[in-house]
Every structure is written in structure tokens, then in C-alpha cells.
Amino acid sequence: MHLSPRPALGSLSLHTKLMLALVVLVATVAGTSAYILVEHERNRRLVELQERATRIADLFSRSLALPLWNIDRGAIESQLAALSPNPEVAEFTVTAVGYGTVSTVKRKLDPGDAVVRIRPIEYGPPGNAPREKIGEIRVVLTKAVAQQAISGARRAIFAVMTAVVAVLYAATFLLLKRMVRSPINRLEEMVDRIAGGDLYATCPVESGDELGRLAMRVNVMAERLRESTLRLRDSERKYRGIVENAVEGIFLLDQKGQLSEANPAMAQLLGYGSAIDLIATAENDPGKRPFSPTQTEALFEILRAKGEILGLELQLSRLDSTPIWVQLNARGLTEDDGSLHLLEGLLTDVTARKHAVEDLRLQRDQLELEVSERKRTELELLASRERLQQLSAHQEAIREEDRKHIAMEIHDELGQLLTALKMDVSLLRMQLPAGSAALQKADEMRDLVEKTIQIVRNVASHLRPTALNYGLASALEWLTADFSRHSQIPCHFDAKGPEPSLPDPRATAIFRIVQESLTNIARHANASRVDVTLANTEAGIELTVSDDGQGFDIVAARAGHSYGLQGMAERARLIDAQLDIDSEPGSGSVIRLHIRDDSITYQ
């Protein structure tokens, strides 16, 4: 087994690691503190420099007002010369409005290493005249002097920090050597003796600190190790007796397919005289190994995936090449690093049971074949019914699309022509003399055109109500009003909750269901009142159409192939809705349509 080299840090002693940790900690703290102090000093000096630049600029903006007004170049230059020897001064420039630069003092300067202040120079004439800007002063101070001072402070701070770190390191090194390293060396010596087999060795307890408590724990560990060794030897003797006398085959298998251990039952199961012969034959002749390379690889893959093997049936070969069936239960034995090393298994001969199961499987297969044939026939019937339902849905969609198209054609084409004809008749009527027979005929023609337009609107509305374009509630409200107008039966519509926004096919199907319900009521119910309610509940949309008519026998109606009820049920199925009809002779009827809350949005 390949061993990777120990990392350099892992080979260091605890004393060295503690010292390294201390150095890193102190260096980090010291470096951070030094950095903070240096930055504080740097910021302080730069702020002072900026304040000086501001004060100088403000001073010159006031003191140069009169000389600049009088264009007294000598007075201006004398004021600039008073401060120009300052090493922080990089530039003084005085400019006059309409004149340009009057006086300037410049030194070579890095553009990014400066503090610039520009102030206007204003002159206040005598009297109440307003102040007038006559120029400006540009003050540029270099940061170089401040940077030199900051560098000196930085060096001093880092020198102090280095000295502190060195003193702390030396003091800590001596303390750790006396208080940690020497006791640990003694503990290592005693642990090496225990690891070498001297279980009666004891560590001296020299203090009550952590190292002293560690020595006490090492002594307890040695005592418990002695007890564990004795129990392990007793357990090994018992385990060996169980393995040798077991009736199932017990074995250890490595990943190459070689048997590490096997009990007599394992050898007898595979046709060998003893476990020694079984192991020796498998080692000398790979072709005689109980498990083939493919089986071995598969078994270890199962162990890696599931951690154990339970009730796995395998076909093996005995020494005389007779095939046998066995049931395997196994678990994996891992190395210290967690990698899978050996397979510990238990084999049980299930050949007789396997043959009986095969006979039962043949009979079951025959029965399953017959059942599958029957299921196939049922599936074909279901598929045929589903195709018929899909065809019905497709035809219904086509009919609705045709109605929509015809309604649009009637409304757009015929309606426009009739409207134009009405306008022409009106224009013609205006040209005819009052009281003439032609004028009376024109009035009759206009009334006929108006009635025709109304008929066209009614036909288009019944084919595809325009109100559907404005929502289901608007369409149902129009439908109930139209029903009341034509049937002379009061029909009331009530909408509860927010109006749902449904896909056009679903809204059209709901509208048609209500339309068919009202048609049936008008034809058969002999009702005096109809109520249509569109309610938005927590479970979805619930539409109710109720009347106080004579009612009907639902069972008899369905047995008599009522196409109206069948059409309503089919439309409800196509939109995945639940249709319930409650009616008895003499007690009116209630039709409820429930649409689940999925795929419903609200306006």
C-alpha cells in the first residue's frame, strides 16, 4: 500500500507548532495595530495639509482683492513670496478676469501628489455696490513632505512592534519548553512502551493540569486495554467455535476473488473435503474460485452503494462443476481510511427452493400472459374511447370556432352593409318631398333595415356573444337578460367575488352549459323564476342555475338519452369540471358546475 509523505507542518513538534502559532498571532496583531496607527497618522497629516491649503487659499482670496483690483503686481508677488519658501508649496497662481495670469509660483510636482484649492477673489467697491469677482487664486500644496513624515512614523512604529514580538517570543519559548515539552516527552515514552505491548506500564502524574490529567487518562486507557485484550481473546475463541460449527457457509472474500477464510460448511457446500483444501485450490487455480471475477466485482459494487447485501441469490459451481443456487447475505469490512477491503458473507443452499420457484414462475408467466392479453384488450378499448372523446372535443372546438367566424362575418360584413343601406335610405328620405308616397315608402324601408340589423345582431350574439370578449360574468349577464326578454320568465344573475379570467375555450364551454340549461328551462320547466349565480369560492368557481319549475326524473331523463344533459356533461368533462344536477318531479331543479382552482386567474 502506497503511503503519501507526511506534510512538513505535520512533522513539527507541538512546542514548535505552538511557537509558530504564537508568532503568527502576535505578528498579525502587531501588524494590524501598526497598520492602523500608520493609517491614522497618515490621515491626520493629510487632513492637516488640506486644512492648511484651505486657510491659505481663503487668506489670499481676501488679501489679494485690493492689489488685484489695482493690478499691483509687486504687492501680489510680495504676498506670494511670503509663503512660497514653505516646502509644502507647489504652486501659487493668481489670475484676473479678462486679463489672464497675473503672477505664479510653481515647482515640479507629480499630478496625483497634490492638494488643490481654488478660491475666487472678489472686490467690494465703496458704498453699497455689490461685490465683484475680479479673479481667482489657485493654491497647490504637495503631499511629499507629509509622506516623508508618515514614512518616518511608519519605520518607528514597526521597529517598536518588532522588538515587542521578539521579547514575547523568547519569553514564551522558555515557558513552553519547561511547562509543555518536557512532560510531553515523558508521556510519549510511556505511550511507546504501551504500544509496544507493555500493557502494565504506567505514566507518572506530576501535576494537576491538562498534562497531568492526560497522564491519568493514559493509565486508564492502558488498564482498559488490558481488559479488552482478555475479552477479545475470549470472544475470538467463541467466534471460532460458532464459525466452525455453523451449518451455513461463512467466508471472507477480497476484491481479487481470493478467499481469506472459510468454514467447513462452506467447503462442504462447494464439494471440498475441508476449508484448507477450498482456500488452497482457489489460490492456486483462479478458475476454481467460488466467485467469478464478474460476480466479485458486482458484489463489491453493491457493498459500496448500499453498505450490505441481503438475500441476494447467485448461481455457483461445485468442485465437480454441478451448478447450485445459493442465497448470500454479506457486509463489508473497511480499512482504517474507510476504503472497502473484504467481504464477509454467509451462504445458504437454496437450490431445491429455486427449482420450486422456477416451476411456480412458469405457471405464473402463463397466467400473466393471459392477464396481459386481457389488459391489452381493455387498454385498446380505453384508447378508443379516449380518441372518441378527443374527437368530440376537437369537433366542439371546431363548431365554436365556426360559430365565432360566422358571427364575425355576419357582424362585420352584413352588419356594415345594412348600416350603409340605412344611411343611404336616410339620405334618400331627405331628398323626398314631405307627405309624398315615396317618403312614406322610404320610412318603411328604413324600419325594415333597422329590424334586419337587429336580427343580424341577435343571430351574431347567439352564435358567439360579443360579451364573452369582456369576461364570463358579462356574457352570463347578457345571456340572462336575453332569456328574460324572449321567454318572459324573470331570470336574475348574481356574481360573487372577483371575476375569474379563464381561457376562451373554457369560458365558452361554461357559457354553452348555462345556455343549454336555460333552453331546457324555457322548453320543459314551466318555471316562474330562474336564478343564475357565479360564485368565486376557495375551492374554485361554482356556477349554479336554479328554477322553481316542475322538475324532472334525472334517472329517466338519462335513460331516455337526453341529448341536452349529455351535451352539458360532455362540455363539463372537456374543461375538467364537475357537473351535478339535482331535481325531482314537482320541486324544480338545480344545476351546479364546479371548476377547480387550478389554472384560474383573477382580475
Side-chain angles (χ1 to χ4, degrees):
M1 180 173 61
H2 176 70
L3 296 176
S4 59
R6 298 175 63 186
L9 186 60
S11 62
L12 299 177
S13 64
L14 177 61
H15 180 263
T16 305
K17 291 179 180 179
L18 290 175
M19 292 307 302
L20 287 176
L22 179 64
V23 169
V24 171
L25 178 62
V26 174
T28 302
V29 174
T32 304
S33 302
Y35 176 78
I36 293 173
L37 291 174
V38 170
E39 285 299 312
H40 176 74
E41 181 65 18
R42 177 177 177 277
N43 293 333
R44 186 184 66 81
R45 290 182 178 274
L46 291 180
V47 169
E48 290 179 354
L49 179 64
Q50 293 174 355
E51 292 176 352
R52 282 198 296 275
T54 301
R55 288 195 300 271
I56 293 173
D58 292 340
L59 176 63
F60 279 153
S61 67
R62 293 189 297 270
S63 64
L64 294 177
L66 185 61
L68 185 61
W69 175 265
N70 297 319
I71 313 298
D72 188 352
R73 190 184 299 272
I76 294 172
E77 292 179 350
S78 64
Q79 291 189 32
L80 299 182
L83 292 178
S84 59
N86 191 330
E88 293 180 342
V89 175
E91 178 185 352
F92 286 158
T93 301
V94 179
T95 58
V97 175
Y99 183 80
T101 302
V102 177
S103 179
T104 182
V105 175
K106 287 187 178 181
R107 295 175 184 170
K108 187 176 181 180
L109 176 66
D110 186 358
D113 190 26
V115 176
V116 181
R117 293 292 184 271
I118 299 175
R119 294 289 186 273
I121 300 176
E122 298 178 346
Y123 177 72
N128 295 326
R131 297 182 63 83
E132 179 184 355
K133 178 181 178 181
I134 60 176
E136 64 180 17
I137 175 68
R138 175 184 173 90
V139 177
V140 180
L141 300 184
T142 180
K143 297 179 182 179
V145 177
Q147 294 292 353
Q148 292 176 0
I150 292 171
S151 299
R154 183 187 296 112
R155 289 191 294 270
I157 291 172
F158 277 107
V160 172
M161 291 297 178
T162 303
V164 171
V165 170
V167 171
L168 286 176
Y169 180 83
T172 306
F173 179 84
L174 296 176
L175 289 174
L176 287 178
K177 183 176 181 181
R178 177 179 179 83
M179 300 174 63
V180 177
R181 186 173 181 180
S182 297
I184 288 178
N185 289 337
R186 289 191 292 271
L187 280 173
E188 287 180 347
E189 180 182 355
M190 301 309 298
V191 170
D192 289 340
R193 289 178 57 188
I194 295 173
D198 185 5
L199 300 179
Y200 292 93
T202 57
C203 296
V205 180
E206 300 176 346
S207 63
D209 56 9
E210 287 81 359
L211 292 177
R213 293 195 294 273
L214 178 60
M216 295 174 61
R217 286 179 171 80
V218 170
N219 293 333
V220 173
M221 178 190 67
E223 182 178 356
R224 292 180 178 175
L225 186 59
R226 289 194 298 270
E227 297 175 356
S228 299
T229 302
L230 294 176
R231 288 196 299 268
L232 180 61
R233 290 171 182 173
D234 186 54
S235 298
E236 183 178 2
R237 179 182 57 79
K238 293 179 181 179
Y239 168 77
R240 180 57 57 185
I242 294 173
V243 171
E244 293 295 333
N245 298 316
V247 295
E248 293 86 3
I250 301 174
F251 65 95
L252 287 178
L253 181 72
D254 63 20
Q255 298 193 40
K256 297 180 179 179
Q258 177 61 42
L259 290 174
S260 300
E261 293 184 15
N263 68 339
M266 177 75 172
Q268 183 180 1
L269 178 64
L270 297 175
Y272 290 87
S274 65
I276 297 176
D277 294 339
L278 171 60
I279 296 174
T281 302
E283 182 177 0
N284 297 327
D285 187 359
K288 293 292 185 180
R289 290 177 178 175
F291 301 95
S292 66
T294 303
Q295 289 177 329
T296 303
E297 183 179 358
L299 292 177
F300 277 92
E301 285 297 328
I302 295 174
L303 283 180
R304 292 188 186 94
K306 299 182 178 180
E308 62 180 357
I309 300 174
L310 297 176
L312 178 65
E313 293 186 355
L314 296 172
Q315 187 177 29
L316 305 179
S317 295
R318 293 168 57 89
L319 180 60
D320 57 2
S321 300
T322 303
I324 60 171
W325 282 93
V326 296
Q327 185 181 69
L328 173 64
N329 294 288
R331 64 184 183 90
L333 301 180
T334 58
E335 296 280 10
D336 294 337
D337 58 358
S339 61
L340 187 60
H341 177 50
L342 294 174
L343 181 149
E344 183 181 49
L346 186 145
L347 286 181
T348 304
D349 188 358
V350 294
T351 305
R353 188 183 71 186
K354 187 70 174 178
H355 290 163
V357 170
E358 286 295 331
D359 294 337
L360 291 175
R361 183 176 292 116
L362 291 175
Q363 297 178 11
R364 185 195 63 187
D365 292 342
Q366 182 63 29
L367 181 60
E368 287 181 350
L369 181 61
E370 296 175 359
V371 173
S372 63
E373 183 66 22
R374 179 177 177 181
K375 288 183 177 179
R376 184 183 65 80
T377 305
E378 292 177 353
L379 289 176
E380 290 178 355
L381 291 175
L382 290 175
S384 177
R385 186 175 69 179
E386 182 65 25
R387 286 194 295 270
L388 288 175
Q389 291 176 348
Q390 292 176 358
L391 178 60
S392 175
H394 179 65
Q395 290 176 343
E396 181 63 28
I398 291 175
R399 284 196 295 270
E400 289 297 337
E401 187 63 28
D402 289 341
R403 291 192 187 102
K404 181 178 180 181
H405 179 73
I406 293 171
M408 292 178 62
E409 290 290 334
I410 292 175
H411 182 273
D412 296 341
E413 300 294 336
L414 186 57
Q416 291 178 6
L417 292 175
L418 291 173
T419 302
L421 181 60
K422 179 181 177 182
M423 295 174 62
D424 290 341
V425 171
S426 298
L427 292 175
L428 178 61
R429 182 178 176 278
M430 296 172 62
Q431 303 297 325
L432 297 175
S436 64
L439 180 61
Q440 182 178 359
K441 193 64 177 178
D443 290 336
E444 294 176 358
M445 291 173 61
R446 185 177 62 180
D447 293 338
L448 288 175
V449 172
E450 184 68 34
K451 291 180 180 179
T452 305
I453 292 174
Q454 186 62 37
I455 292 172
V456 167
R457 289 176 179 172
N458 291 337
V459 171
S461 296
H462 282 85
L463 286 173
R464 166 68 182 184
T466 307
L468 272 176
N469 299 329
Y470 303 99
L472 179 61
S474 299
L476 294 178
E477 185 176 4
W478 172 86
L479 181 61
T480 54
D482 185 72
F483 175 81
S484 298
R485 184 169 59 254
H486 288 88
S487 66
Q488 302 302 318
I489 300 175
C491 184
H492 302 275
F493 173 71
D494 185 20
K496 299 178 180 179
E499 180 177 354
S501 178
L502 297 171
D504 188 65
R506 177 171 281 192
T508 302
I510 297 172
F511 178 84
R512 294 301 180 193
I513 291 173
V514 177
Q515 188 178 45
E516 182 65 28
S517 301
L518 294 178
T519 300
N520 291 338
I521 292 172
R523 291 177 179 176
H524 310 294
N526 194 22
S528 61
R529 177 184 176 89
V530 182
D531 292 292
V532 179
T533 304
L534 178 65
N536 174 17
T537 65
E538 294 182 356
I541 298 174
E542 185 170 306
L543 181 68
T544 305
V545 181
S546 60
D547 67 84
D548 59 355
Q550 60 187 5
F552 62 95
D553 188 347
I554 298 176
V555 176
R558 288 175 176 170
H561 304 289
S562 174
Y563 295 108
L565 296 182
Q566 291 181 5
M568 293 165 61
E570 180 64 17
R571 292 180 188 273
R573 186 194 64 80
L574 292 177
I575 62 173
D576 194 20
Q578 180 181 351
L579 179 68
D580 296 321
I581 302 176
D582 184 11
S583 179
E584 292 181 1
S587 63
S589 61
V590 178
I591 299 174
R592 293 185 180 88
L593 183 69
H594 181 74
I595 301 99
R596 293 190 298 273
D597 197 27
D598 51 354
S599 73
I600 297 175
T601 58
Y602 299 97
Q603 296 178 347

